[in-house]
Amino acid sequence: VNQILLLLLVLTVCAILYNKVHQVPLALKNETVDLESPEEVEEEIAVVICAAAGRMGAAVAAISSIYSNTEANVLFYIVGLKTTLPHIRKWIENSKLKEIKFKVVEFNPMVLKGKIRQDASRPELLQPLNFVRFYLPLLIQKHEKVIYLDDDVIVQGDIQELYDTKLAPGHAAAFSDDCDLPSTHEMVRSVGMQNTYMGFLDYRKQAVRDLGISPSTCSFNPGVIVANMTEWKRQRITKQLEKWMQRNVEENLYSSTLGGGVATSPMLIVFHGKYSSINPMWHIRHLGWSPDARYSEQFLQEAKLLHWNGRYKPWDYPSVHTDLWENWFIPDPSGKFKLTRPDS
């Protein structure tokens, strides 16, 4: 009996020593490593915005509005040409935006060689950065989901809501229908803007008719995009867009004299019937189509995102609802970018 008791005592002592020896590394590990559960790791929201020469204040205002209205973990990808990137970096680092997380990404316009048909009627629509949205997977490597925004927008809501937009299986992107909000119909009529495929594609061309898309089909606006990078790459969206760009060079299927210029039309073709919808209040458009037509102030206050698409930009004159845009503008520390106002 004594031998049995002695054996049990020895085993107990060994067990205690074993536990102490193996618990020490765990204690040390807890002191040096963040053991957050996967649910507690905050997802990073990738937002792509272009910074074009002559309109960098637009990108700054858009970024400022997003950053000020969310607690989400946002990483801004600021895309520009080689000559413009130092300016935008300096602007951010010497303003209250110095706290944002951002990367500057150079866009090489040589990828567009032979893919753009020159058109002198609206040369601003042929600027290389208008086509950045075609090449999202080449610019953004590590994110599954990406938000692309035109620079002439202001975000009044929490960007997390836009990011949470559900994309249907097999859809590479979500857009806003141009027929989605009754409150915008009067604006569209008053400025004579097209909101169907007829306003973007030349239906006199056989290649356009062969698409089998009714000219009365509602168009969508690619100034705000929620994109799934896996689907985009799987469906080779960039290659499809480039194919239609090249066909336009050869056959003039659309032009900048039509409603959306040369960057919208290829997207209308490639994504026809294959995109999800963005909440209409997350893309209130046409604020830049007329220097006179205005939405009601109550409607604009309820909007989550405002878009000055069109010729009349809020940093220029004339334009409408400039106060809503200027709330988020941050002056250029270098003094190169200045607002155009009646008294300036």
Side-chain angles (χ1 to χ4, degrees):
V1 173
N2 290 337
Q3 289 178 340
I4 293 172
L5 291 174
L6 181 61
L7 179 61
L8 289 173
L9 179 62
V10 170
L11 290 174
T12 301
V13 171
C14 288
I16 292 171
L17 290 173
Y18 178 87
N19 285 335
K20 285 186 176 295
V21 168
H22 286 270
Q23 282 174 359
V24 169
L26 284 176
L28 291 174
K29 185 177 181 180
N30 283 337
E31 289 176 7
T32 57
V33 179
D34 186 0
L35 294 179
E36 283 186 309
S37 66
E39 291 77 18
E40 293 172 338
V41 176
E42 191 176 15
E43 189 170 14
E44 195 171 64
I45 298 177
V47 176
V48 178
I49 294 179
C50 294
R55 48 193 289 164
M56 286 190 196
V60 167
I63 292 169
S64 172
S65 69
I66 295 167
Y67 180 65
S68 300
N69 287 306
T70 188
E71 295 295 326
N73 181 21
V74 180
L75 174 59
F76 293 97
Y77 285 86
I78 303 171
V79 185
L81 303 182
K82 186 175 183 178
T83 54
T84 63
L85 291 177
H87 184 185
I88 193 72
R89 180 186 289 277
K90 184 177 180 181
W91 196 332
I92 290 171
E93 292 178 346
N94 290 278
S95 72
K96 65 180 183 181
L97 291 179
K98 61 187 176 184
E99 302 298 327
I100 70 169
K101 291 170 57 180
F102 74 100
K103 294 183 179 179
V104 293
V105 180
E106 180 183 345
F107 182 69
N108 186 352
M110 290 303 294
V111 300
L112 303 173
K113 188 175 182 180
K115 302 182 183 73
I116 300 177
R117 184 183 184 89
Q118 296 302 315
D119 193 321
S121 60
R122 289 194 67 187
E124 75 274 12
L125 296 177
L126 300 176
Q127 295 302 315
L129 295 182
N130 286 337
F131 301 91
V132 162
R133 71 198 90 185
F134 289 17
Y135 296 94
L136 291 177
L138 302 181
L139 300 168
I140 312 301
Q141 302 295 330
K142 68 173 186 173
H143 296 276
E144 167 75 7
K145 198 174 187 181
V146 172
I147 294 173
Y148 167 87
L149 299 177
D150 276 354
D151 61 0
D152 52 355
V153 306
I154 287 297
V155 174
Q156 300 185 137
D158 186 341
I159 198 72
Q160 181 75 53
E161 293 179 28
L162 182 60
Y163 184 79
D164 290 339
T165 299
K166 300 296 183 185
L167 273 66
H171 285 179
F175 305 97
S176 294
D177 265 348
D178 281 329
C179 306
D180 54 11
L181 270 181
S183 50
T184 66
H185 294 173
E186 184 178 344
M187 173 73 82
V188 170
R189 286 193 297 270
S190 69
V191 299
M193 181 183 176
Q194 291 286 341
N195 62 353
T196 65
Y197 274 60
M198 176 65 85
F200 296 86
L201 304 178
D202 187 349
Y203 275 83
R204 295 171 299 180
K205 302 295 173 66
Q206 188 61 45
V208 172
R209 294 198 298 271
D210 287 346
L211 291 169
I213 303 173
S214 168
S216 63
T217 301
C218 185
S219 55
F220 59 81
N221 187 298
V224 177
I225 308 172
V226 181
N228 180 308
M229 293 293 93
T230 300
E231 278 297 326
W232 193 292
K233 288 181 280 192
R234 187 184 71 79
Q235 297 180 34
R236 297 170 62 85
I237 296 294
T238 297
K239 288 295 183 185
Q240 292 187 58
L241 292 167
E242 289 184 325
K243 181 191 81 169
W244 284 104
M245 292 169 73
Q246 288 168 332
R247 288 199 66 175
N248 183 58
V249 170
E250 298 161 4
E251 304 173 48
N252 197 20
L253 305 178
Y254 48 86
S255 74
S256 59
T257 57
L258 295 174
V262 294
T264 297
S265 300
M267 301 198 83
L268 290 176
I269 295 172
V270 170
F271 284 101
H272 174 251
K274 295 184 292 186
Y275 66 91
S276 298
S277 295
I278 290 173
N279 180 333
M281 296 304 289
W282 267 100
H283 195 175
I284 303 304
R285 306 177 288 291
H286 319 314
L287 277 76
W289 274 84
S290 167
D292 303 308
R294 302 174 67 92
Y295 288 110
S296 75
E297 292 301 322
Q298 181 180 353
F299 176 68
L300 293 180
Q301 291 296 333
E302 295 171 354
K304 304 289 188 177
L305 182 148
L306 305 176
H307 188 184
W308 279 263
N309 57 313
R311 296 173 185 263
Y312 302 98
K313 303 301 185 185
W315 55 90
D316 280 336
Y317 179 83
S319 55
V320 296
H321 303 298
T322 54
D323 55 324
L324 294 174
W325 181 87
E326 208 165 328
N327 282 340
W328 306 107
F329 174 68
I330 299 172
D332 182 1
S334 73
K336 295 178 183 177
F337 182 93
K338 294 182 174 65
L339 302 183
T340 303
R341 294 294 180 256
D343 54 351
S344 63

